Amino acid sequence: MPKRKRSSKKEGGVQGGVGLDTKSKDTTLAGNGGEKWSKSKKKRMRAKLAKQHNQIKSGQQHDAGIDDGQMKQRRKKQLATNDHQAVHHHQRAPNKETEHRQISTSIRAKSALQQSFLARLSGSRFRELNEDLYTTTSDIAFKRFSENPELFDEYHEGFRKQVSQWPVNPVDVILRWIRKKGKQSTEKRLTIADFGCGDAKLAQKLASGDGISRSGGDRSKGRKSKRKGDDDDGGNAGRGDTKECNYKVHSFDLVSNGNPWITPCDMSNVPLESDTVDIGVFCLALMGTNIADFVREAHRVLRPDGVLKIAEVRSRFEATAEQGDDGSGKSGDGRGRGGSSRKRTDDRLLNDFIDTMVELGFQCTQKDRSTKMFILMEFAKTGEKPSDEATFTAKPCIYKRR
């Protein structure tokens, strides 16, 4: 049997020690024990070797057109890219154990101690802002809150926590009083100005129970809300008619922060025309050292028969003193006659406030001390022009520091 001739590189296209005899009918794999290839395998191998040969040839031609400096620069850039990708992958792709630990840490609930610390920080911030509002003028407060509107949210977050601890909210008391007024009024609609409205709860609660026109930061014309089944004496369009809304509320505070019910402004200069309001409300809003300016502005916007409703913390207008049984104060032993003493309420500051209100064109028609924490007062316009010299500053409502 004649010996088979081995194929050369040119004839067989040797690549990596593999040779093909393209002339012999019994094509074998060189150096592989004489194993025979099928025709289909031979075809695939020829195509593969031809493709590899073409790739090597094209690479050599491309490299021939690039000088050594460019080749070195390309290789250096490629190495730097590979190193950066390796480091980036190491930093961004932690193992499963690390990733699980990070997820567990992020969703872990705060402990009771952490929650207590956060609550104290929030309360401390509220007390600081509260003291600033009581001890500065309204124009300074308006400028500060306008430049830092996040302070408004911080203050009212703490204020809401305080309200949640009160036995009664004066906003609810004033709300019931206004609804009673609305039923007794012969007017089609009552216009209300809420000075220092906070979250505008008065307007929103009126809207949820009665028809209301809203005047807020968007300066909209107002909207009508209907409640099905209301009686005619409520003034609501509950029977499909087109009656005008029962209330129109203007809510004013230092900042609106996106609340459409609120118009931001200084309480001593509100954007209302004169003699256009039926009811003015100051609910825990006589904050600042220029209270007389607030009252003068309320006098300007109220109609001649308008009413001003004020709710404040009693301690701002009242003082408590020890009184002996003889009514002359403490006796020589400091306990009063017979060793007994009782507390009495000192109304001198409250009387000063009412006298100042007379100078500002208001007459007190009612005082309500039925609640332990708050005093509610009702004032009517007297027709007298407010004095420009009248001033008054109540005691600031400053919470104890802890």
Side-chain angles (χ1 to χ4, degrees):
M1 184 174 181
K3 294 182 180 180
R4 291 178 180 172
K5 184 179 179 181
R6 294 197 177 191
S7 59
S8 63
K9 290 183 180 180
K10 185 180 291 187
E11 293 173 342
V14 178
Q15 176 67 23
V18 178
L20 279 178
D21 186 358
T22 58
K23 295 182 179 180
S24 174
K25 293 182 179 180
D26 298 330
T27 307
T28 61
L29 181 61
N32 198 24
E35 180 183 354
K36 294 183 179 181
W37 286 354
S38 64
K39 291 183 179 180
S40 60
K41 191 170 183 178
K42 287 191 292 181
K43 187 176 181 180
R44 290 197 303 271
M45 288 301 295
R46 288 193 188 100
K48 184 177 180 180
L49 293 172
K51 184 177 180 180
Q52 292 175 348
H53 180 70
N54 291 334
Q55 289 176 348
I56 293 172
K57 186 176 180 181
S58 61
Q60 291 174 349
Q61 290 176 352
H62 179 71
D63 293 341
I66 303 176
D67 58 16
D68 292 341
Q70 291 176 330
M71 285 294 294
K72 289 180 181 180
Q73 189 175 0
R74 268 179 46 182
R75 288 171 184 170
K76 185 177 180 180
K77 186 177 180 180
Q78 184 64 33
L79 288 173
T81 303
N82 293 340
D83 292 342
H84 174 73
Q85 290 177 350
V87 173
H88 184 70
H89 177 75
H90 177 72
Q91 293 176 346
R92 295 294 300 273
N95 56 39
K96 291 184 178 180
E97 183 179 355
T98 304
E99 185 176 0
H100 176 72
R101 185 163 57 250
Q102 290 174 349
I103 295 173
S104 300
T105 304
S106 62
I107 63 176
R108 187 181 301 163
K110 292 182 175 63
S111 65
L113 183 61
Q114 288 175 319
Q115 292 177 353
S116 175
F117 282 146
L118 290 174
R120 287 190 178 186
L121 286 173
S122 176
S124 176
R125 186 60 172 156
F126 163 71
R127 288 189 291 272
E128 178 187 349
L129 293 172
N130 182 74
E131 183 172 347
D132 288 345
L133 288 172
Y134 275 109
T135 56
T136 59
T137 57
S138 60
D139 57 339
I140 294 176
F142 178 57
K143 181 179 179 181
R144 182 185 180 192
F145 276 71
S146 298
E147 293 174 351
N148 305 277
E150 67 278 2
L151 298 179
F152 186 81
D153 292 332
E154 292 177 7
Y155 173 80
H156 283 285
E157 181 181 354
F159 182 76
R160 282 189 289 269
K161 291 180 181 179
Q162 295 291 332
V163 172
S164 65
Q165 301 173 9
W166 295 346
V168 61
N169 190 340
V171 172
D172 296 330
V173 179
I174 294 176
L175 176 68
R176 291 192 294 267
W177 176 81
I178 290 176
R179 283 178 171 162
K180 185 178 179 180
K181 280 278 187 182
K183 291 180 179 181
Q184 296 173 351
S185 176
T186 57
E187 299 292 333
K188 293 182 179 180
R189 180 178 65 185
L190 290 178
T191 302
I192 301 164
D194 188 3
F195 297 85
C197 64
D199 295 328
K201 292 299 182 185
L202 184 63
Q204 295 180 50
K205 289 186 177 183
L206 281 171
S208 65
D210 293 287
I212 187 172
S213 289
R214 176 184 65 191
S215 176
D218 57 358
R219 300 296 195 279
S220 61
K221 293 182 179 179
R223 67 177 183 183
K224 295 181 180 181
S225 66
K226 301 177 183 179
R227 186 176 63 176
K228 188 176 181 180
D230 280 337
D231 297 330
D232 289 339
D233 61 351
N236 301 304
R239 298 181 180 177
D241 55 16
T242 57
K243 288 184 178 180
E244 204 169 9
C245 298
N246 197 28
Y247 305 108
K248 181 175 183 179
V249 180
H250 301 274
S251 300
F252 303 111
D253 215 314
L254 299 175
V255 178
S256 65
N257 272 7
N259 189 330
W261 299 88
I262 302 175
T263 299
C265 64
D266 180 355
M267 296 307 104
S268 63
N269 184 23
V270 299
L272 285 178
E273 296 181 2
S274 300
D275 303 327
T276 57
V277 174
D278 297 298
I279 299 174
V281 175
F282 285 96
C283 186
L284 308 180
L286 295 178
M287 306 178 73
T289 57
N290 58 325
I291 292 176
D293 294 336
F294 304 162
V295 178
R296 274 188 281 266
E297 185 68 356
H299 188 280
R300 181 185 69 81
V301 301
L302 280 171
R303 293 191 174 101
D305 59 345
V307 178
L308 183 62
K309 193 75 170 180
I310 295 177
E312 267 300 338
V313 180
R314 291 182 64 167
S315 61
R316 297 197 66 197
F317 297 102
E318 298 176 355
T320 302
E322 297 291 339
Q323 180 180 6
D325 290 342
D326 59 354
S328 60
K330 292 184 179 180
S331 61
D333 60 0
R335 295 178 297 172
R337 189 174 57 186
S340 63
S341 63
R342 61 183 180 181
K343 294 181 178 180
R344 65 179 180 85
T345 301
D346 185 352
D347 289 340
R348 284 178 295 180
L349 188 59
L350 177 62
N351 294 333
D352 289 344
F353 175 68
I354 293 175
D355 292 341
T356 304
M357 292 294 289
V358 173
E359 295 182 46
L360 294 171
F362 287 99
Q363 183 69 41
C364 182
T365 59
Q366 185 179 1
K367 288 186 291 185
D368 182 3
R369 300 187 187 183
S370 59
T371 62
K372 189 175 182 180
M373 293 182 62
F374 309 104
I375 180 172
L376 285 90
M377 295 173 281
E378 188 174 325
F379 295 89
K381 290 182 72 171
T382 61
E384 298 292 332
K385 183 180 178 181
S387 170
D388 293 333
E389 289 77 22
T391 60
F392 181 82
T393 301
K395 290 189 297 184
C397 183
I398 298 177
Y399 295 89
K400 293 180 181 180
R401 296 182 181 273
R402 299 175 182 176

mmCIF file of all heavy atoms in Angstrom, residues 326-367:
data_model
loop_
_atom_site.group_PDB
_atom_site.id
_atom_site.type_symbol
_atom_site.label_atom_id
_atom_site.label_comp_id
_atom_site.label_asym_id
_atom_site.label_seq_id
_atom_site.Cartn_x
_atom_site.Cartn_y
_atom_site.Cartn_z
ATOM 1 N N ASP A 326 -58.957 86.507 103.114
ATOM 2 C CA ASP A 326 -59.538 87.838 103.281
ATOM 3 C C ASP A 326 -59.516 88.651 102.006
ATOM 4 O O ASP A 326 -59.948 89.800 101.981
ATOM 5 C CB ASP A 326 -58.791 88.603 104.380
ATOM 6 C CG ASP A 326 -57.308 88.749 104.059
ATOM 7 O OD1 ASP A 326 -56.871 88.157 103.041
ATOM 8 O OD2 ASP A 326 -56.599 89.434 104.823
ATOM 9 N N GLY A 327 -58.980 88.022 100.947
ATOM 10 C CA GLY A 327 -58.967 88.686 99.644
ATOM 11 C C GLY A 327 -57.895 89.728 99.515
ATOM 12 O O GLY A 327 -57.847 90.446 98.521
ATOM 13 N N SER A 328 -57.010 89.838 100.514
ATOM 14 C CA SER A 328 -55.980 90.867 100.467
ATOM 15 C C SER A 328 -54.622 90.315 100.082
ATOM 16 O O SER A 328 -53.610 90.959 100.302
ATOM 17 C CB SER A 328 -55.878 91.541 101.844
ATOM 18 O OG SER A 328 -55.546 90.583 102.828
ATOM 19 N N GLY A 329 -54.578 89.120 99.565
ATOM 20 C CA GLY A 329 -53.314 88.524 99.199
ATOM 21 C C GLY A 329 -52.769 87.697 100.326
ATOM 22 O O GLY A 329 -53.471 87.337 101.270
ATOM 23 N N LYS A 330 -51.487 87.391 100.263
ATOM 24 C CA LYS A 330 -50.876 86.531 101.265
ATOM 25 C C LYS A 330 -50.758 87.254 102.599
ATOM 26 O O LYS A 330 -50.519 88.442 102.652
ATOM 27 C CB LYS A 330 -49.492 86.083 100.788
ATOM 28 C CG LYS A 330 -49.537 85.144 99.601
ATOM 29 C CD LYS A 330 -48.150 84.662 99.259
ATOM 30 C CE LYS A 330 -48.188 83.699 98.084
ATOM 31 N NZ LYS A 330 -46.835 83.213 97.745
ATOM 32 N N SER A 331 -50.902 86.468 103.661
ATOM 33 C CA SER A 331 -50.686 87.017 104.992
ATOM 34 C C SER A 331 -49.216 86.922 105.340
ATOM 35 O O SER A 331 -48.402 86.454 104.553
ATOM 36 C CB SER A 331 -51.528 86.238 106.017
ATOM 37 O OG SER A 331 -51.143 84.878 106.021
ATOM 38 N N GLY A 332 -48.890 87.333 106.586
ATOM 39 C CA GLY A 332 -47.492 87.399 106.960
ATOM 40 C C GLY A 332 -46.797 86.062 106.935
ATOM 41 O O GLY A 332 -45.604 85.982 106.691
ATOM 42 N N ASP A 333 -47.516 84.966 107.197
ATOM 43 C CA ASP A 333 -46.868 83.654 107.180
ATOM 44 C C ASP A 333 -46.783 83.072 105.787
ATOM 45 O O ASP A 333 -46.344 81.942 105.601
ATOM 46 C CB ASP A 333 -47.590 82.678 108.115
ATOM 47 C CG ASP A 333 -49.043 82.468 107.715
ATOM 48 O OD1 ASP A 333 -49.462 83.096 106.709
ATOM 49 O OD2 ASP A 333 -49.748 81.687 108.389
ATOM 50 N N GLY A 334 -47.279 83.803 104.759
ATOM 51 C CA GLY A 334 -47.158 83.353 103.380
ATOM 52 C C GLY A 334 -48.213 82.360 102.963
ATOM 53 O O GLY A 334 -48.250 81.899 101.842
ATOM 54 N N ARG A 335 -49.148 82.031 103.855
ATOM 55 C CA ARG A 335 -50.171 81.057 103.493
ATOM 56 C C ARG A 335 -51.575 81.629 103.554
ATOM 57 O O ARG A 335 -52.544 80.933 103.288
ATOM 58 C CB ARG A 335 -50.087 79.853 104.435
ATOM 59 C CG ARG A 335 -48.797 79.061 104.320
ATOM 60 C CD ARG A 335 -48.795 77.940 105.311
ATOM 61 N NE ARG A 335 -48.839 78.459 106.687
ATOM 62 C CZ ARG A 335 -48.999 77.683 107.752
ATOM 63 N NH1 ARG A 335 -49.163 76.388 107.606
ATOM 64 N NH2 ARG A 335 -49.013 78.226 108.966
ATOM 65 N N GLY A 336 -51.724 82.895 103.948
ATOM 66 C CA GLY A 336 -53.046 83.460 104.090
ATOM 67 C C GLY A 336 -53.568 83.189 105.485
ATOM 68 O O GLY A 336 -53.001 82.457 106.274
ATOM 69 N N ARG A 337 -54.695 83.809 105.858
ATOM 70 C CA ARG A 337 -55.256 83.670 107.192
ATOM 71 C C ARG A 337 -55.673 82.228 107.452
ATOM 72 O O ARG A 337 -56.293 81.590 106.605
ATOM 73 C CB ARG A 337 -56.459 84.595 107.343
ATOM 74 C CG ARG A 337 -56.983 84.677 108.769
ATOM 75 C CD ARG A 337 -58.068 85.714 108.880
ATOM 76 N NE ARG A 337 -59.171 85.430 107.942
ATOM 77 C CZ ARG A 337 -60.190 86.263 107.756
ATOM 78 N NH1 ARG A 337 -60.187 87.430 108.374
ATOM 79 N NH2 ARG A 337 -61.143 85.945 106.915
ATOM 80 N N GLY A 338 -55.316 81.738 108.632
ATOM 81 C CA GLY A 338 -55.666 80.370 108.989
ATOM 82 C C GLY A 338 -54.799 79.347 108.298
ATOM 83 O O GLY A 338 -55.091 78.162 108.318
ATOM 84 N N GLY A 339 -53.702 79.804 107.650
ATOM 85 C CA GLY A 339 -52.800 78.867 106.993
ATOM 86 C C GLY A 339 -53.316 78.342 105.677
ATOM 87 O O GLY A 339 -52.751 77.410 105.127
ATOM 88 N N SER A 340 -54.400 78.866 105.126
ATOM 89 C CA SER A 340 -54.953 78.390 103.860
ATOM 90 C C SER A 340 -54.823 79.479 102.808
ATOM 91 O O SER A 340 -54.814 80.669 103.121
ATOM 92 C CB SER A 340 -56.421 77.988 104.025
ATOM 93 O OG SER A 340 -57.183 79.122 104.383
ATOM 94 N N SER A 341 -54.741 79.099 101.569
ATOM 95 C CA SER A 341 -54.653 80.042 100.457
ATOM 96 C C SER A 341 -55.332 79.440 99.253
ATOM 97 O O SER A 341 -55.525 78.227 99.166
ATOM 98 C CB SER A 341 -53.190 80.367 100.139
ATOM 99 O OG SER A 341 -52.516 79.202 99.707
ATOM 100 N N ARG A 342 -55.710 80.279 98.332
ATOM 101 C CA ARG A 342 -56.340 79.811 97.107
ATOM 102 C C ARG A 342 -55.816 80.632 95.934
ATOM 103 O O ARG A 342 -55.334 81.751 96.120
ATOM 104 C CB ARG A 342 -57.855 79.936 97.209
ATOM 105 C CG ARG A 342 -58.344 81.345 97.416
ATOM 106 C CD ARG A 342 -59.848 81.397 97.594
ATOM 107 N NE ARG A 342 -60.305 82.764 97.797
ATOM 108 C CZ ARG A 342 -61.587 83.068 98.008
ATOM 109 N NH1 ARG A 342 -62.482 82.105 98.054
ATOM 110 N NH2 ARG A 342 -61.931 84.331 98.162
ATOM 111 N N LYS A 343 -55.935 80.078 94.741
ATOM 112 C CA LYS A 343 -55.449 80.754 93.556
ATOM 113 C C LYS A 343 -56.539 81.634 92.967
ATOM 114 O O LYS A 343 -57.716 81.277 92.970
ATOM 115 C CB LYS A 343 -54.980 79.731 92.509
ATOM 116 C CG LYS A 343 -53.764 78.939 92.926
ATOM 117 C CD LYS A 343 -53.355 77.974 91.831
ATOM 118 C CE LYS A 343 -52.098 77.204 92.240
ATOM 119 N NZ LYS A 343 -51.672 76.251 91.188
ATOM 120 N N ARG A 344 -56.122 82.745 92.463
ATOM 121 C CA ARG A 344 -57.048 83.632 91.768
ATOM 122 C C ARG A 344 -56.456 84.000 90.414
ATOM 123 O O ARG A 344 -55.243 83.921 90.198
ATOM 124 C CB ARG A 344 -57.314 84.898 92.581
ATOM 125 C CG ARG A 344 -56.092 85.786 92.762
ATOM 126 C CD ARG A 344 -56.441 87.038 93.555
ATOM 127 N NE ARG A 344 -55.266 87.894 93.735
ATOM 128 C CZ ARG A 344 -54.850 88.777 92.853
ATOM 129 N NH1 ARG A 344 -55.511 88.934 91.709
ATOM 130 N NH2 ARG A 344 -53.776 89.519 93.091
ATOM 131 N N THR A 345 -57.312 84.409 89.502
ATOM 132 C CA THR A 345 -56.883 84.770 88.155
ATOM 133 C C THR A 345 -56.686 86.271 88.063
ATOM 134 O O THR A 345 -57.579 87.054 88.421
ATOM 135 C CB THR A 345 -57.929 84.316 87.120
ATOM 136 O OG1 THR A 345 -58.101 82.904 87.226
ATOM 137 C CG2 THR A 345 -57.484 84.662 85.722
ATOM 138 N N ASP A 346 -55.528 86.662 87.598
ATOM 139 C CA ASP A 346 -55.210 88.071 87.408
ATOM 140 C C ASP A 346 -55.554 88.443 85.968
ATOM 141 O O ASP A 346 -54.913 87.980 85.013
ATOM 142 C CB ASP A 346 -53.725 88.300 87.692
ATOM 143 C CG ASP A 346 -53.346 89.773 87.643
ATOM 144 O OD1 ASP A 346 -54.210 90.590 87.248
ATOM 145 O OD2 ASP A 346 -52.203 90.109 87.982
ATOM 146 N N ASP A 347 -56.567 89.285 85.799
ATOM 147 C CA ASP A 347 -57.070 89.649 84.472
ATOM 148 C C ASP A 347 -56.563 91.009 83.997
ATOM 149 O O ASP A 347 -57.097 91.559 83.027
ATOM 150 C CB ASP A 347 -58.603 89.671 84.478
ATOM 151 C CG ASP A 347 -59.196 88.278 84.569
ATOM 152 O OD1 ASP A 347 -58.468 87.320 84.257
ATOM 153 O OD2 ASP A 347 -60.375 88.158 84.941
ATOM 154 N N ARG A 348 -55.557 91.538 84.629
ATOM 155 C CA ARG A 348 -55.126 92.883 84.253
ATOM 156 C C ARG A 348 -54.636 92.950 82.809
ATOM 157 O O ARG A 348 -54.943 93.898 82.076
ATOM 158 C CB ARG A 348 -54.027 93.352 85.203
ATOM 159 C CG ARG A 348 -54.553 93.780 86.572
ATOM 160 C CD ARG A 348 -53.425 94.183 87.497
ATOM 161 N NE ARG A 348 -52.561 93.060 87.821
ATOM 162 C CZ ARG A 348 -51.495 93.160 88.624
ATOM 163 N NH1 ARG A 348 -51.167 94.334 89.149
ATOM 164 N NH2 ARG A 348 -50.754 92.102 88.891
ATOM 165 N N LEU A 349 -53.893 91.941 82.367
ATOM 166 C CA LEU A 349 -53.401 91.944 80.988
ATOM 167 C C LEU A 349 -54.553 91.761 80.002
ATOM 168 O O LEU A 349 -54.573 92.382 78.930
ATOM 169 C CB LEU A 349 -52.357 90.837 80.804
ATOM 170 C CG LEU A 349 -51.603 90.828 79.474
ATOM 171 C CD1 LEU A 349 -50.860 92.144 79.269
ATOM 172 C CD2 LEU A 349 -50.621 89.664 79.405
ATOM 173 N N LEU A 350 -55.520 90.934 80.363
ATOM 174 C CA LEU A 350 -56.690 90.743 79.507
ATOM 175 C C LEU A 350 -57.487 92.036 79.393
ATOM 176 O O LEU A 350 -57.946 92.400 78.285
ATOM 177 C CB LEU A 350 -57.569 89.621 80.064
ATOM 178 C CG LEU A 350 -58.873 89.344 79.314
ATOM 179 C CD1 LEU A 350 -58.598 88.909 77.882
ATOM 180 C CD2 LEU A 350 -59.700 88.278 80.047
ATOM 181 N N ASN A 351 -57.655 92.721 80.485
ATOM 182 C CA ASN A 351 -58.377 93.998 80.458
ATOM 183 C C ASN A 351 -57.616 95.032 79.621
ATOM 184 O O ASN A 351 -58.241 95.837 78.910
ATOM 185 C CB ASN A 351 -58.583 94.517 81.879
ATOM 186 C CG ASN A 351 -59.513 93.623 82.684
ATOM 187 O OD1 ASN A 351 -60.375 92.939 82.126
ATOM 188 N ND2 ASN A 351 -59.351 93.618 84.007
ATOM 189 N N ASP A 352 -56.299 95.019 79.699
ATOM 190 C CA ASP A 352 -55.505 95.923 78.868
ATOM 191 C C ASP A 352 -55.732 95.621 77.390
ATOM 192 O O ASP A 352 -55.814 96.548 76.556
ATOM 193 C CB ASP A 352 -54.019 95.791 79.201
ATOM 194 C CG ASP A 352 -53.669 96.379 80.562
ATOM 195 O OD1 ASP A 352 -54.490 97.153 81.102
ATOM 196 O OD2 ASP A 352 -52.580 96.049 81.093
ATOM 197 N N PHE A 353 -55.818 94.351 77.063
ATOM 198 C CA PHE A 353 -56.055 93.966 75.665
ATOM 199 C C PHE A 353 -57.422 94.449 75.194
ATOM 200 O O PHE A 353 -57.550 94.989 74.078
ATOM 201 C CB PHE A 353 -55.947 92.449 75.526
ATOM 202 C CG PHE A 353 -56.290 91.933 74.156
ATOM 203 C CD1 PHE A 353 -55.490 92.195 73.067
ATOM 204 C CD2 PHE A 353 -57.454 91.193 73.954
ATOM 205 C CE1 PHE A 353 -55.802 91.724 71.798
ATOM 206 C CE2 PHE A 353 -57.778 90.714 72.689
ATOM 207 C CZ PHE A 353 -56.953 90.986 71.618
ATOM 208 N N ILE A 354 -58.441 94.267 76.012
ATOM 209 C CA ILE A 354 -59.787 94.700 75.626
ATOM 210 C C ILE A 354 -59.841 96.219 75.476
ATOM 211 O O ILE A 354 -60.494 96.747 74.554
ATOM 212 C CB ILE A 354 -60.817 94.204 76.667
ATOM 213 C CG1 ILE A 354 -60.898 92.667 76.595
ATOM 214 C CG2 ILE A 354 -62.187 94.811 76.415
ATOM 215 C CD1 ILE A 354 -61.798 92.052 77.650
ATOM 216 N N ASP A 355 -59.144 96.940 76.371
ATOM 217 C CA ASP A 355 -59.079 98.411 76.240
ATOM 218 C C ASP A 355 -58.370 98.814 74.948
ATOM 219 O O ASP A 355 -58.772 99.777 74.275
ATOM 220 C CB ASP A 355 -58.355 99.009 77.444
ATOM 221 C CG ASP A 355 -59.152 98.870 78.734
ATOM 222 O OD1 ASP A 355 -60.378 98.653 78.649
ATOM 223 O OD2 ASP A 355 -58.548 98.955 79.822
ATOM 224 N N THR A 356 -57.318 98.081 74.592
ATOM 225 C CA THR A 356 -56.605 98.369 73.343
ATOM 226 C C THR A 356 -57.498 98.101 72.141
ATOM 227 O O THR A 356 -57.449 98.848 71.140
ATOM 228 C CB THR A 356 -55.325 97.522 73.248
ATOM 229 O OG1 THR A 356 -54.504 97.751 74.395
ATOM 230 C CG2 THR A 356 -54.538 97.857 71.999
ATOM 231 N N MET A 357 -58.314 97.055 72.227
ATOM 232 C CA MET A 357 -59.235 96.747 71.131
ATOM 233 C C MET A 357 -60.248 97.881 70.936
ATOM 234 O O MET A 357 -60.647 98.179 69.803
ATOM 235 C CB MET A 357 -59.961 95.425 71.409
ATOM 236 C CG MET A 357 -59.054 94.197 71.357
ATOM 237 S SD MET A 357 -58.384 93.874 69.713
ATOM 238 C CE MET A 357 -59.843 93.305 68.839
ATOM 239 N N VAL A 358 -60.656 98.525 72.018
ATOM 240 C CA VAL A 358 -61.554 99.675 71.895
ATOM 241 C C VAL A 358 -60.857 100.799 71.134
ATOM 242 O O VAL A 358 -61.455 101.447 70.257
ATOM 243 C CB VAL A 358 -62.010 100.144 73.297
ATOM 244 C CG1 VAL A 358 -62.809 101.446 73.185
ATOM 245 C CG2 VAL A 358 -62.847 99.068 73.979
ATOM 246 N N GLU A 359 -59.591 101.042 71.442
ATOM 247 C CA GLU A 359 -58.827 102.061 70.722
ATOM 248 C C GLU A 359 -58.683 101.707 69.237
ATOM 249 O O GLU A 359 -58.546 102.598 68.390
ATOM 250 C CB GLU A 359 -57.442 102.216 71.333
ATOM 251 C CG GLU A 359 -57.433 102.749 72.761
ATOM 252 C CD GLU A 359 -56.011 102.916 73.273
ATOM 253 O OE1 GLU A 359 -55.171 103.477 72.538
ATOM 254 O OE2 GLU A 359 -55.746 102.459 74.401
ATOM 255 N N LEU A 360 -58.736 100.418 68.949
ATOM 256 C CA LEU A 360 -58.578 99.958 67.563
ATOM 257 C C LEU A 360 -59.924 99.797 66.853
ATOM 258 O O LEU A 360 -59.973 99.250 65.737
ATOM 259 C CB LEU A 360 -57.815 98.629 67.548
ATOM 260 C CG LEU A 360 -56.360 98.712 68.026
ATOM 261 C CD1 LEU A 360 -55.764 97.317 68.187
ATOM 262 C CD2 LEU A 360 -55.516 99.535 67.061
ATOM 263 N N GLY A 361 -61.017 100.223 67.490
ATOM 264 C CA GLY A 361 -62.316 100.235 66.821
ATOM 265 C C GLY A 361 -63.163 99.003 67.037
ATOM 266 O O GLY A 361 -64.069 98.741 66.226
ATOM 267 N N PHE A 362 -62.929 98.253 68.110
ATOM 268 C CA PHE A 362 -63.710 97.046 68.388
ATOM 269 C C PHE A 362 -64.240 97.057 69.823
ATOM 270 O O PHE A 362 -63.564 97.525 70.752
ATOM 271 C CB PHE A 362 -62.855 95.791 68.189
ATOM 272 C CG PHE A 362 -62.566 95.454 66.762
ATOM 273 C CD1 PHE A 362 -61.357 95.804 66.181
ATOM 274 C CD2 PHE A 362 -63.505 94.794 65.981
ATOM 275 C CE1 PHE A 362 -61.076 95.488 64.865
ATOM 276 C CE2 PHE A 362 -63.245 94.483 64.663
ATOM 277 C CZ PHE A 362 -62.016 94.830 64.096
ATOM 278 N N GLN A 363 -65.434 96.507 69.972
ATOM 279 C CA GLN A 363 -66.047 96.351 71.282
ATOM 280 C C GLN A 363 -66.229 94.865 71.576
ATOM 281 O O GLN A 363 -66.770 94.122 70.745
ATOM 282 C CB GLN A 363 -67.413 97.050 71.324
ATOM 283 C CG GLN A 363 -68.110 97.001 72.671
ATOM 284 C CD GLN A 363 -67.404 97.842 73.723
ATOM 285 O OE1 GLN A 363 -66.958 98.952 73.431
ATOM 286 N NE2 GLN A 363 -67.305 97.317 74.945
ATOM 287 N N CYS A 364 -65.758 94.435 72.755
ATOM 288 C CA CYS A 364 -65.893 93.023 73.118
ATOM 289 C C CYS A 364 -67.352 92.722 73.472
ATOM 290 O O CYS A 364 -67.938 93.357 74.368
ATOM 291 C CB CYS A 364 -64.990 92.697 74.308
ATOM 292 S SG CYS A 364 -65.031 90.959 74.789
ATOM 293 N N THR A 365 -67.952 91.760 72.800
ATOM 294 C CA THR A 365 -69.346 91.392 73.035
ATOM 295 C C THR A 365 -69.487 90.065 73.761
ATOM 296 O O THR A 365 -70.560 89.764 74.285
ATOM 297 C CB THR A 365 -70.113 91.316 71.701
ATOM 298 O OG1 THR A 365 -69.475 90.344 70.852
ATOM 299 C CG2 THR A 365 -70.119 92.674 70.999
ATOM 300 N N GLN A 366 -68.409 89.281 73.792
ATOM 301 C CA GLN A 366 -68.517 87.970 74.463
ATOM 302 C C GLN A 366 -67.138 87.439 74.807
ATOM 303 O O GLN A 366 -66.186 87.590 74.042
ATOM 304 C CB GLN A 366 -69.252 86.965 73.560
ATOM 305 C CG GLN A 366 -69.521 85.624 74.227
ATOM 306 C CD GLN A 366 -70.267 84.669 73.305
ATOM 307 O OE1 GLN A 366 -70.563 85.014 72.153
ATOM 308 N NE2 GLN A 366 -70.578 83.494 73.796
ATOM 309 N N LYS A 367 -67.041 86.800 75.992
ATOM 310 C CA LYS A 367 -65.823 86.108 76.418
ATOM 311 C C LYS A 367 -66.216 84.700 76.861
ATOM 312 O O LYS A 367 -67.159 84.534 77.631
ATOM 313 C CB LYS A 367 -65.137 86.843 77.575
ATOM 314 C CG LYS A 367 -64.456 88.131 77.176
ATOM 315 C CD LYS A 367 -63.675 88.732 78.343
ATOM 316 C CE LYS A 367 -64.621 89.241 79.426
ATOM 317 N NZ LYS A 367 -63.881 89.932 80.511
#
